[in-house]
Amino acid sequence: MYLWKRDNGFTYQQRIPASVESKFGKSPIRVNLGPLSAADARKRAIILSGAAMQLMDDPDMTRETLVYSLRALNEELKAIKSARFSKGFEAYGVSKRRDEFAEMGADEAALDQERKLAVVDAERGVLASFHKRLETIADAMSKDSIAWEAERGTYQSVVALLGSLDRQQNAITVGPTLTTAVTMARRPPMPFPSPAVVKSAESVAIESYTDVTDPRAFTPETKFGVAGRVILDARRAALDITDKDRGRYEERLEATFAAFLEVIGDHPLKYYVPLHLQDFATVLGKVPTNRTKYPIFKGLTLEAMGRKNDALPEGKRIRRLSRTTVKEHITQIKLIWQKATAGVIGVRDIRSFDVTMPASAAAPIDREGLPIASLNKWLADIVTPKIMGKPHKAWLPLVGYLTGMRLAEIVYLQSSDIVTIDGNEVFDLRLPLIIGGKKVDRQLKTKTSVRVVAIHPLLRECGFIDFAKKQRGRGGFIFPHYHRSKDPADTAQKQMANWMIALGIHETQRQVFHSLRHNAKAWFRIHAGDGLADKQCGHAASSVGAKYGFKALEPEEIEKIMSIPAPRGIDFMPLITWHQAQ
């Protein structure tokens, strides 16, 4: 064996033993190993040398097949190294998509990515172990004949696995990827077939398409519109769409899918390239927000809407979609694409493309808590006869601020949700709703929303707890007025927005009812720490370590939240005085 380096990398040369010169000729065999480190090139050469010696023992082996087999084996060894890098890159992409879905509240999609990440990590581990085993074999072969004989059986199995050359003839069990365990059978070497009969795994898979019977077994020729439609229908069939939040997310997926097909077109799966995601994002960056509310955009395509909006006078232009919204649309298309192309050979993985957010899109609005002056103005207005005459409206801001609950959680509260844990009253959102005498699953945004919410003493001092416990009729809801509408949370949201606008404390998307949740989170964080603030508000833990322990607040934690001082600068006296006068 001889090894030297050239401009294009290392070259391995194997001399022909005198005993077989008559069969293979005197000239040595050379294989270009490509760019490698000196250590890796030496190990690669040792493995190829062992394979050459083994193949030369075969009475049916020819020089042409020998050279071809060594070159093919070298390519397979390259593939292992490439696969390890590819799996590392894939793991990064999957974890990134998981985090994106988690931020969007798409728990099912995030969990799907979590499972995929576990599979990818397992594959990375197997590839690393496989590569280490190859190095062990190389070390054994480089020592002496005794060590080589001890490793010969293992070596033969590894070569058989790597060499796609003998997949058609050898009885070694190998799954669809290198993650499948190698059958470590001790058997004599099998002859390699000639290049003419070698078939790649991809060509075999493509041929197998002719045997499919299930119409959902997509091929590269299947149109994305067809494949995506099947995926979305399957999701709807599997999920509980009666869940309003889940239903809305599925509707957003539908709208995003339709928009992508409109902008890029409905083509066979093999047509799409990663740059189409960038094209889609660029168009969305000019689309006006809430476009369906404006008659001037009726009947126009998304691209035409963008042009129409740009042509309006500057003061009359509609705000464009935000970069956050554009990013969400891209993430949703990646989700649909992932499921539509699973198992389809011959299509590009467009999900790995890092889309540049268009500068034309509106900057995201950072929602924040309400200023102290706005909060005091709002709380003072609650006790006015006009507002307190509508208690279903009056109590919402106070409950939102002192509990950190979402508006959709508050309007579905029932008096039976107020329970006592170790002497302390709490809202138990783990309980089902009781509607018409039947238990109904509570519709909450995320898994972490299923929780216990501590009731701060201020809620009792201001009179809300006494009011809530008296609401026994009309379904047992504390705020039954909103349940006359089809969407109680939406009705309450509009009423709160109108109230804030009337008080002059509303700012579109920035200063809204949900801002109270920001105020509450900051208050809890200051006095009880991040962990308890997350559990009280139903936010996911920020780290793996933070997830340890109990999901719901423990009695000691409830007491700690109940004992924190009132928010600084906030005047609750108008409400306390009103309650004492009742």
Side-chain angles (χ1 to χ4, degrees):
M1 182 190 78
Y2 185 67
L3 191 67
W4 74 89
K5 187 176 182 181
R6 291 179 173 174
D7 292 340
N8 60 344
F10 283 91
T11 296
Y12 150 74
Q13 177 175 297
Q14 178 66 49
R15 70 176 183 82
I16 304 297
S19 59
V20 290
E21 282 184 356
S22 59
K23 183 178 180 181
F24 297 106
K26 292 184 178 182
S27 59
I29 293 171
R30 296 185 181 90
V31 177
N32 181 17
L33 304 183
L36 290 169
S37 67
D40 287 343
R42 182 174 180 276
K43 291 177 181 178
R44 180 82 58 83
I46 290 172
I47 291 175
L48 292 178
S49 179
M53 295 298 101
Q54 176 191 355
L55 293 171
M56 287 180 192
D57 290 339
D58 183 356
D60 297 323
M61 184 59 59
T62 65
R63 180 184 177 90
E64 180 183 9
T65 304
L66 175 63
V67 173
Y68 180 89
S69 299
L70 291 176
R71 288 175 179 171
L73 178 56
N74 180 59
E75 290 303 315
E76 294 291 346
L77 292 168
K78 283 184 184 178
I80 288 183
K81 185 175 182 179
S82 176
R84 291 183 68 191
F85 175 81
S86 176
K87 287 298 176 184
F89 187 76
E90 183 181 357
Y92 169 77
V94 172
S95 62
K96 187 176 181 181
R97 289 193 295 274
R98 176 200 59 193
D99 295 342
E100 289 175 350
F101 283 131
E103 290 177 7
M104 292 161 50
D107 290 342
E108 189 267 341
L111 183 60
D112 183 55
Q113 294 299 311
E114 187 70 39
R115 287 192 289 261
K116 184 177 178 62
L117 182 60
V119 172
V120 174
D121 283 341
E123 291 176 345
R124 290 175 67 194
V126 172
L127 283 170
S129 176
F130 199 81
H131 189 267
K132 183 177 181 180
R133 190 61 180 147
L134 283 174
E135 291 191 344
T136 300
I137 293 170
D139 290 340
M141 293 169 63
S142 66
K143 293 176 182 176
D144 53 41
S145 60
I146 295 176
W148 159 232
E149 288 300 327
E151 293 288 344
R152 180 183 291 274
T154 300
Y155 171 78
Q156 291 172 357
S157 295
V158 172
V159 169
L161 173 63
L162 290 176
S164 58
L165 304 171
D166 67 348
R167 286 176 185 164
Q168 303 297 314
Q169 294 187 17
N170 290 350
I172 288 187
T173 303
V174 181
T177 68
L178 289 177
T179 61
T180 307
V182 182
T183 302
M184 305 299 283
R186 299 295 196 250
R187 59 173 177 79
M190 298 292 289
F192 288 87
S194 64
V197 299
V198 175
K199 291 186 178 181
S200 68
E202 182 174 339
S203 66
V204 172
I206 292 175
E207 287 176 8
S208 69
Y209 281 134
T210 59
D211 300 326
V212 298
T213 55
D214 193 320
R216 296 172 300 177
F218 309 132
T219 74
E221 302 296 335
T222 304
K223 286 196 170 183
F224 189 27
V226 174
R229 180 74 269 148
V230 171
I231 297 303
L232 292 176
D233 288 346
R235 283 178 60 89
R236 282 188 169 274
L239 298 173
D240 179 14
I241 306 303
T242 58
D243 178 343
K244 290 184 175 62
D245 288 321
R246 170 58 64 189
R248 289 193 187 99
Y249 180 69
E250 297 306 313
E251 288 172 3
R252 292 199 298 273
L253 279 179
E254 297 269 0
T256 299
F257 183 54
F260 184 83
L261 295 181
E262 176 192 316
V263 173
I264 307 301
D266 189 7
H267 303 285
L269 295 175
K270 68 179 183 180
Y271 167 83
Y272 297 96
V273 297
L275 272 173
H276 284 138
L277 285 179
Q278 184 65 65
D279 296 340
F280 183 46
T282 301
V283 170
L284 291 181
K286 292 192 173 184
V287 172
T289 186
N290 296 325
R291 54 190 179 277
T292 58
K293 295 183 178 180
Y294 301 95
I296 60 172
F297 301 129
K298 187 176 181 179
L300 298 180
T301 64
L302 294 176
E303 288 188 85
M305 289 180 191
R307 291 194 296 268
K308 181 80 172 179
N309 192 42
D310 289 347
L312 294 174
E314 187 172 350
K316 294 185 177 181
R317 289 176 194 161
I318 310 302
R319 188 175 184 272
R320 294 166 175 167
L321 295 179
S322 70
R323 292 168 198 166
T324 302
T325 301
V326 173
K327 182 179 179 180
E328 181 178 349
H329 283 302
I330 296 299
T331 300
Q332 289 166 352
I333 285 297
K334 288 181 177 181
L335 171 65
I336 298 171
W337 180 264
Q338 172 194 344
K339 294 182 179 293
T341 59
V344 180
I345 304 296
V347 297
R348 302 171 184 87
D349 185 5
I350 66 175
R351 299 170 302 153
S352 60
F353 188 76
D354 190 8
V355 175
T356 300
M357 287 298 106
S360 57
I365 294 177
D366 293 326
R367 190 173 289 167
E368 54 189 26
L370 294 173
I372 292 176
S374 296
L375 284 168
N376 286 333
K377 188 174 184 179
W378 202 353
L379 294 177
D381 197 51
I382 291 176
V383 298
T384 61
K386 178 181 178 181
I387 300 299
M388 195 52 81
K390 300 177 180 179
H392 63 274
K393 173 182 178 179
W395 291 113
L396 291 182
L398 183 73
V399 178
Y401 184 25
L402 295 180
T403 66
M405 284 194 287
R406 300 177 178 89
L407 184 56
E409 295 169 344
I410 298 172
V411 297
Y412 278 95
L413 283 175
Q414 294 183 318
S415 54
S416 58
D417 294 331
I418 302 176
V419 301
T420 300
I421 297 180
D422 280 15
N424 298 311
E425 287 185 325
V426 299
F427 293 117
D428 194 344
L429 302 188
R430 300 170 300 179
L431 300 174
L433 297 174
I434 307 298
I435 301 178
K438 297 181 180 179
K439 294 182 179 180
V440 179
D441 289 338
R442 190 182 297 269
Q443 305 302 318
L444 297 173
K445 186 174 182 180
T446 64
K447 291 181 179 179
T448 52
S449 300
V450 182
R451 65 194 190 279
V452 168
V453 178
I455 297 177
H456 193 273
L458 279 169
L459 276 172
R460 180 176 294 282
E461 293 175 30
C462 291
F464 172 72
I465 299 301
D466 289 343
F467 162 79
K469 287 185 175 181
K470 294 175 183 178
Q471 305 305 304
R472 297 287 182 182
R474 286 188 285 182
F477 289 108
I478 295 176
F479 302 99
H481 179 86
Y482 296 110
H483 293 270
R484 298 171 184 171
S485 66
K486 292 183 179 179
D487 192 337
D490 184 63
T491 301
Q493 183 69 57
K494 291 175 180 176
Q495 192 176 75
M496 292 298 102
N498 291 334
W499 187 8
M500 294 179 72
I501 291 172
L503 292 174
I505 61 175
H506 182 275
E507 184 180 346
T508 303
Q509 295 188 29
R510 189 182 299 276
Q511 302 289 340
V512 295
F513 185 92
H514 194 80
S515 297
L516 294 172
R517 191 162 155 82
H518 289 255
N519 289 100
K521 186 67 180 285
W523 176 42
F524 295 135
R525 184 188 295 120
I526 291 170
H527 298 286
D530 287 327
L532 293 189
D534 286 340
K535 292 174 77 171
Q536 170 78 0
C537 295
H539 285 138
S542 57
S543 66
V544 174
K547 294 179 182 178
Y548 277 66
F550 297 97
K551 293 182 179 180
L553 289 170
E554 288 292 287
E556 296 87 350
E557 295 173 326
I558 294 171
E559 292 173 1
K560 186 171 184 179
I561 291 176
M562 292 179 65
S563 66
I564 65 177
R568 182 181 297 180
I570 305 302
D571 186 8
F572 293 96
M573 285 309 299
L575 279 163
I576 295 173
T577 301
W578 172 87
H579 177 54
Q580 291 173 346
Q582 299 305 303

